[in-house]
């Protein structure tokens, strides 16, 4: 594949990773550095506000990156989406529009846009194929974020169709790993469980109570696996359709909680509060398209949890 050669052969090509401090962006930077890429360009939010069109234009005009990975986004849980819907739609639309348009205008060879599995309809078939996009209504709690991300996918497709611009989109499943958000109020299920079991261990608590029955099935992907997939797609994919990135492995919330408990070393009891809601019974991405291109996840959930807990102990102030 000619394109594979062009991306992987020039380790001094200038690559702009937008959102390099986040869970995803930091993993992509680590991966590129590990592979020997020497010319990565990053900017903090204070240095470059991606919502400001003129600032983004001048950055691209000055830096002229050859490749762009767009991992910058405003993200948050259900409460944040409900409280700040305008922020979630407008900030994400601005970031995407500015970066994708400037990439095209300033001669970028390839741009990869990262979305999320929440782009799919609330009642999408399981596992969820790429073709489920726009086939039904969205989950109302995060539709502001989802609509922005869908617009990003469509923008990449439109620029490819109209201008022949090489823009691709990747949609990861639930992610976890170093630099995850462990905030008590607005973290996702995996880091929330890790923080709670750790706190219980430190305090010598006898039990940890978890909401629901533990029966819902979920899929988790270590962020280093996602970074590996992103680099793979930069070298091997130039299609119109977005690509799902998942582990293909399902785990019940109960199995997840027991595994986190084991990794953290909490010796007490795990209690399920079945009076609390369970949420969607099953959520799994169909990643067979990516598998057919030759990529699959490599990090087991247990190994990924061990790695994440190590990072948590070293980086989160108790």
């Amino acid at each position: 594949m000619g394109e594979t050669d062009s991306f992987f052969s020039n380790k001094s090509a200038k690559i702009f990773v937008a959102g390099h401090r986040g869970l995803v962006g930091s993993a992509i930077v680590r991966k590129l550095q590990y592979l020997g890429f020497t010319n990565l360009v990053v900017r903090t939010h204070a240095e470059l506000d991606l919502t400001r069109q003129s600032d983004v234009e001048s950055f691209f005009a000055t830096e002229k990156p050859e490749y762009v990975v767009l991992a910058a986004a405003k993200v948050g849980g259900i409460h944040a989406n409900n409280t700040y819907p305008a922020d979630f739609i407008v900030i994400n639309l601005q970031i995407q529009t500015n970066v994708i348009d400037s990439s095209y205008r300033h001669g970028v060879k390839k741009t990869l846009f990262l979305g999320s599995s929440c782009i799919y309809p609330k009642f999408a078939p399981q596992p969820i194929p790429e073709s489920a996009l726009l086939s039904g209504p969205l989950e109302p709690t995060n539709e502001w974020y989802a609509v922005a991300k869908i617009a990003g996918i469509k923008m990449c497709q439109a620029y490819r169709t109209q201008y022949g611009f090489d823009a691709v989109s990747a949609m990861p499943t639930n992610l976890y790993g170093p630099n995850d958000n462990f905030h008590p109020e607005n973290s996702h299920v995996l880091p929330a469980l890790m923080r709670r079991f750790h706190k219980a261990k430190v305090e010598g608590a006898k039990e940890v109570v978890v909401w629901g029955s533990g029966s819902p099935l979920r899929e988790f992907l270590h962020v280093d696996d996602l970074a590996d997939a992103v680099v793979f797609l930069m070298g091997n994919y130039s299609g119109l359709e977005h690509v799902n990135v998942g582990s293909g492995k399902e785990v019940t919330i109960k199995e997840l909680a027991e595994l986190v408990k084991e990794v953290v070393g909490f010796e007490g009891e795990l209690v399920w509060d079945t009076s609390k809601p369970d949420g969607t019974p099953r959520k799994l991405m169909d990643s067979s398209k990516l598998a057919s291109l030759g990529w699959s996840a490599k990090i087991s959930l247990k190994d990924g949890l061990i790695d994440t807990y190590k990072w948590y102990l070293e980086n989160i102030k108790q």
Side-chain angles (χ1 to χ4, degrees):
M1 274 191 167
E3 205 184 32
T4 307
D5 299 341
S6 66
F7 181 69
F8 290 111
S9 60
N10 183 10
K11 295 292 169 68
S12 62
K14 188 178 277 193
I15 305 172
F16 173 43
V17 180
H20 74 287
R21 283 181 158 179
L23 172 66
V24 174
S26 61
I28 292 166
V29 168
R30 282 196 305 275
K31 185 70 184 175
L32 290 168
Q33 287 173 336
Y34 171 77
L35 292 171
F37 286 90
T38 56
N39 199 358
L40 304 186
V41 182
V42 295
R43 291 289 185 275
T44 64
H45 179 72
E47 291 166 336
L48 175 63
D49 183 346
L50 295 172
T51 67
R52 298 177 66 92
Q53 186 181 4
S54 59
D55 293 4
V56 175
E57 281 280 349
S58 58
F59 165 80
F60 272 84
T62 306
E63 289 294 335
K64 296 191 165 47
E66 286 179 66
Y67 298 98
V68 173
V69 179
L70 179 45
K74 178 165 181 64
V75 297
I78 291 170
H79 177 72
N81 269 269
N82 282 340
T83 314
Y84 310 108
D87 292 358
F88 276 91
I89 195 163
V90 78
I91 290 170
N92 284 305
L93 285 172
Q94 286 169 331
I95 291 170
Q96 295 160 196
T97 304
N98 293 340
V99 173
I100 296 166
D101 185 66
S102 282
S103 294
Y104 162 66
R105 292 186 187 283
H106 293 278
V108 169
K109 287 181 182 172
K110 183 166 198 162
T111 293
L112 185 142
F113 169 68
L114 280 151
S116 133
S117 57
C118 75
I119 60 161
Y120 290 113
K122 184 172 184 173
F123 301 110
Q126 300 291 333
I128 310 170
E130 285 88 355
S131 58
L133 183 66
L134 295 175
S135 63
L138 298 165
E139 166 60 58
T141 52
N142 61 12
E143 66 177 347
W144 320 104
Y145 176 77
V147 163
K149 287 292 176 184
I150 293 167
I153 295 171
K154 290 295 168 189
M155 187 170 173
C156 289
Q157 292 176 344
Y159 274 58
R160 179 179 292 279
T161 303
Q162 186 171 333
Y163 301 122
F165 178 54
D166 193 4
V168 297
S169 302
M171 300 299 124
T173 188
N174 299 313
L175 301 167
Y176 72 100
N179 291 310
D180 206 343
N181 170 18
F182 289 89
H183 191 279
E185 265 79 64
N186 57 17
S187 56
H188 293 118
V189 61
L190 191 153
L193 285 170
M194 187 167 284
R195 187 190 57 79
R196 291 185 63 205
F197 281 125
H198 176 80
K199 186 167 180 278
K201 182 177 86 164
V202 170
E203 293 172 356
K206 291 201 166 46
E207 64 177 38
V208 168
V209 179
V210 184
W211 279 23
S213 68
S215 66
L217 287 157
R218 292 292 181 270
E219 175 187 30
F220 296 96
L221 183 73
H222 192 286
V223 72
D224 288 348
D225 267 336
L226 172 63
D228 190 55
V230 163
V231 171
F232 176 85
L233 289 167
M234 286 298 283
N236 295 288
Y237 183 71
S238 285
L240 185 68
E241 192 178 44
H242 61 285
V243 181
N244 286 345
V245 185
S247 63
K249 305 273 195 311
E250 284 182 289
V251 61
T252 66
I253 297 296
K254 189 170 191 292
E255 289 166 331
L256 173 69
E258 283 166 357
L259 202 50
V260 174
K261 177 177 182 277
E262 181 192 331
V263 166
V264 170
F266 173 63
E267 306 276 317
E269 203 180 341
L270 176 52
V271 179
W272 295 91
D273 181 356
T274 52
S275 69
K276 296 291 194 292
D278 263 339
T280 311
R282 188 183 188 211
K283 194 174 178 193
L284 173 70
M285 305 272 269
D286 179 347
S287 301
S288 56
K289 178 175 177 168
L290 183 54
S292 72
L293 293 169
W295 186 89
S296 59
K298 294 160 193 68
I299 302 169
S300 72
L301 184 57
K302 175 104 179 255
D303 289 345
L305 288 172
I306 291 168
D307 169 72
T308 305
Y309 188 51
K310 181 171 175 283
W311 183 88
Y312 177 86
L313 290 174
E314 290 167 2
N315 292 275
I316 302 291
K317 290 185 172 59
Q318 307 306 331

